[in-house]
Structures are given as structure tokens and as C-alpha cells.
Amino acid sequence: MRYFFNSLYLAVLNVLGVLFSCSIVAYAFARYRAPGSRVLFAVLLATMMLPAHVTMIPLFLVFRALDWVDTLRPLWVPAFLGNAFFIFLLRQFFMSLPQELFDAARIDGCSEFGQYWRIMLPLSKPALTTVAIFQFQFTWNDFLGPLIYINSQDKKPLALGLQDFYKTQATVEWQQLMAASVMMVLPVVLLFFFLQRYFIEGIALTGLKG
């Protein structure tokens, strides 16, 4: 259960961080035409071509300098700094929303943050839900990140804990291992089951253009 709650803690923080950071950056790229914004967006997309394994050692050195090794912070703090793929995904959805909604809100005195919070986010539930499911699944199943940064047994998430459970048993208790594996799979299945209606809503919204 300790492994389970560590995974849940990391998944929730990662989802919250990605939804906030990516949505606010995507809003800026979608609604503002500042000089050089297209170049910045192209640079952002170019970072998607950089393999994660290339940045693995520099990131480890940075987190070691911050004294974050063997803590959970390296596994959730980067989520609050944005993700290029999710920013691209949300920007494309935000650009499909009619500009007239935001012009009317601006005339009524709504601030820029108010337009983002009261108009953009409520209308973007399908896209935000998709981002949340992707990020939750990635964080929940992440094995390499905890393997690099976590040493203490009480800080390991479920993906890494299952590997240790199997490795340290002289005689494997298969019924316990299978029960733990169900705990590993069930949250992702339930999350998709309860949120899949937003995918249907996204298809319906696409048909309302024009």
C-alpha cells in the first residue's frame, strides 16, 4: 500500500502540474501574436525531437546538485515546467474555439486571466481530459524515472516496488504478486472508463465548427 500511495501521489501532482503549465502556455501561443511567437513555438516543437535519453544524465546532475536524489521531487517538479507535446495538443484545440467568445468577454470587462479561467478551460474539457489521462498513465507506469532517482524502499512507487517484490522473494507468492498487479492496472482502467465520455464530447464539438 505504501508503493500504491507513492504512485498515486506522483500521478496526482504530475497531472495537476501538466494541466496548469501546459494549458497556460498553450493559451498564450493560441491567443497572442507577439513578435517571434512563431519562432518560439517552432523551437518548442523541435524539443520533441530530442530523445529523453540524451537529457537523462544532465538532468540527474542538476537534481543531484539540488540534493533531490532519493526524493520524489525529480519525479513531479518537471511537470510544472510544461510538456511540448501537450502544449502543442492544447494549442491546436484552443485555436479551434471561436474568437468572438473572447472578444465579448473582453468587452464585458473580463481580464485576460479571467478569459483563460472562465472561458477557455471550461470549453476545453475534452482536450484537458485527454492530457490528464496520458499523463496519469505515463506517471503511473513510469519505471525508469524512479529507478534512477529513488533508493529508499519507502519512497518507491508501485511500478518499481513490484519489481523488488518479485526479486526479493525466495519463493514467489504468485497470488500476492497477481493481486499487486491488479492494483497496478486497475486505476488506469477505471480512469479511462469514467472519463471516456469526454472523448465523445470532443468529437461532437468538432462538428459544431462554422
Side-chain angles (χ1 to χ4, degrees):
M1 292 305 295
R2 181 66 181 177
Y3 298 152
F4 179 85
F5 285 116
N6 286 339
S7 291
L8 188 62
Y9 174 79
L10 290 173
V12 170
L13 284 179
N14 272 273
V15 169
L16 292 177
V18 162
L19 287 179
F20 175 75
S21 61
C22 294
S23 63
I24 202 166
V25 173
Y27 175 79
F29 276 123
R31 291 299 166 192
Y32 297 111
R33 293 293 181 267
S37 61
R38 291 183 178 273
V39 176
L40 286 176
F41 188 66
V43 172
L44 175 72
L45 294 182
T47 63
M48 295 171 58
M49 305 177 189
L50 193 65
H53 302 86
V54 174
T55 61
M56 189 181 300
I57 293 177
L59 279 176
F60 180 83
L61 295 177
V62 169
F63 290 135
R64 188 178 66 177
L66 294 172
D67 198 24
W68 283 7
V69 176
D70 200 27
T71 70
L72 295 177
R73 285 189 287 272
L75 303 177
W76 64 265
V77 170
F80 286 84
L81 304 178
N83 179 291
F85 173 71
F86 292 148
I87 291 172
F88 168 75
L89 182 69
L90 292 174
R91 173 186 178 269
Q92 298 307 111
F93 188 89
F94 290 170
M95 292 182 67
S96 69
L97 299 178
Q99 180 64 35
E100 290 78 7
L101 291 174
F102 302 93
D103 294 339
R106 191 176 291 111
I107 292 174
D108 289 339
C110 187
S111 64
E112 290 296 331
F113 184 79
Q115 296 174 43
Y116 159 77
W117 187 259
R118 298 178 181 177
I119 299 176
M120 184 69 82
L121 292 188
L123 292 177
S124 305
K125 286 181 181 179
L128 294 174
T129 303
T130 302
V131 169
I133 291 175
F134 283 161
Q135 184 62 36
F136 184 93
Q137 184 177 11
F138 172 78
T139 305
W140 190 264
N141 296 330
D142 186 24
F143 178 82
L144 185 60
L147 183 65
I148 295 173
Y149 296 110
I150 302 299
N151 300 318
S152 301
Q153 198 70 24
D154 62 333
K155 294 185 178 70
K156 292 182 177 181
L158 195 54
L160 191 59
L162 277 179
Q163 186 259 356
D164 281 351
F165 179 88
Y166 179 80
K167 185 175 63 176
T168 56
Q169 301 296 316
T171 58
V172 179
E173 297 289 344
W174 290 105
Q175 66 275 20
Q176 296 180 16
L177 184 59
M178 291 300 102
S181 299
V182 171
M183 289 177 59
M184 182 74 191
V185 174
L186 194 59
V188 178
V189 175
L190 291 177
L191 183 72
F192 180 79
F193 178 78
F194 286 109
L195 297 181
Q196 64 177 330
R197 64 189 182 92
Y198 288 106
F199 289 102
I200 302 174
E201 183 181 344
I203 296 172
L205 286 175
T206 305
L208 294 177
K209 289 183 181 179

